[in-house]
Amino acid sequence: MVLAGCATTPPAQSTSTPPPECVTTPEYERQPVPDLPMTVTRESAKRFAKTHAEALVWNDKYKSADTGLEVNGDASIVNEIPEGYIVHVSGGMTYYTCENGHLGVADGGFHANYFINDSTALRLNRPTNRTDDPREHNGEPVA
């Protein structure tokens, strides 16, 4: 006798956090983009790039988020050169919407390369390679 689709143990319980309820929250506000650090070091270059990238993503999505918005990035130095630092930032975002009483969730990722020194910052959105230098690939000035 064969029983198709029967399990001998109950299904595992989910340990993830349940999604927020479909209740709208107060409107989110734009996040300020950071100024170039007065003195650029490895750590300040990473902090600037991470904060800048997260603010851009936040500011792109905050009007769509009714019940929640999360943006998290990570930055790493990929090249330290005499002229400055090449920093790669990658991360993700999730926002929750509430339409007709139903919760909607959207996820996405982001990545960018920055060239940062004491006088300028250039950003290359969605580089082909995490080591691409924004100076050589038409990066846009951001500071």
Side-chain angles (χ1 to χ4, degrees):
M1 178 176 192
V2 176
L3 298 173
C6 293
T8 58
T9 59
Q13 295 293 323
S14 172
T15 59
S16 65
T17 305
E21 293 182 27
C22 194
V23 176
T24 58
T25 58
E27 290 186 21
Y28 291 99
E29 295 182 11
R30 290 182 60 81
Q31 295 294 312
V33 292
D35 292 327
L36 190 63
M38 296 293 265
T39 303
V40 176
T41 63
R42 288 178 66 84
E43 288 307 310
S44 68
K46 287 183 352 184
R47 188 171 40 255
F48 170 84
K50 177 183 181 297
T51 304
H52 187 273
E54 288 175 342
L56 291 182
V57 172
W58 178 279
N59 292 342
D60 184 49
K61 298 299 180 191
Y62 79 100
K63 288 184 179 179
S64 301
D66 294 326
T67 65
L69 175 60
E70 300 166 13
V71 178
N72 296 298
D74 187 40
S76 60
I77 301 289
V78 294
N79 200 358
E80 183 175 345
I81 52 179
E83 299 85 19
Y85 300 93
I86 307 297
V87 181
H88 179 73
V89 179
S90 61
M93 67 85 194
T94 301
Y95 67 94
Y96 302 90
T97 62
C98 196
E99 293 184 29
N100 299 325
H102 298 286
L103 182 66
V105 180
D107 293 315
F110 61 92
H111 64 282
N113 286 359
Y114 287 78
F115 168 77
I116 302 168
N117 67 16
D118 286 331
S119 62
T120 193
L122 301 174
R123 180 175 190 269
L124 178 61
N125 191 37
R126 299 188 183 277
T128 303
N129 187 313
R130 68 186 315 262
T131 59
D132 286 345
D133 186 334
R135 297 173 301 167
E136 298 170 1
H137 296 277
N138 298 317
E140 72 173 299
V142 295

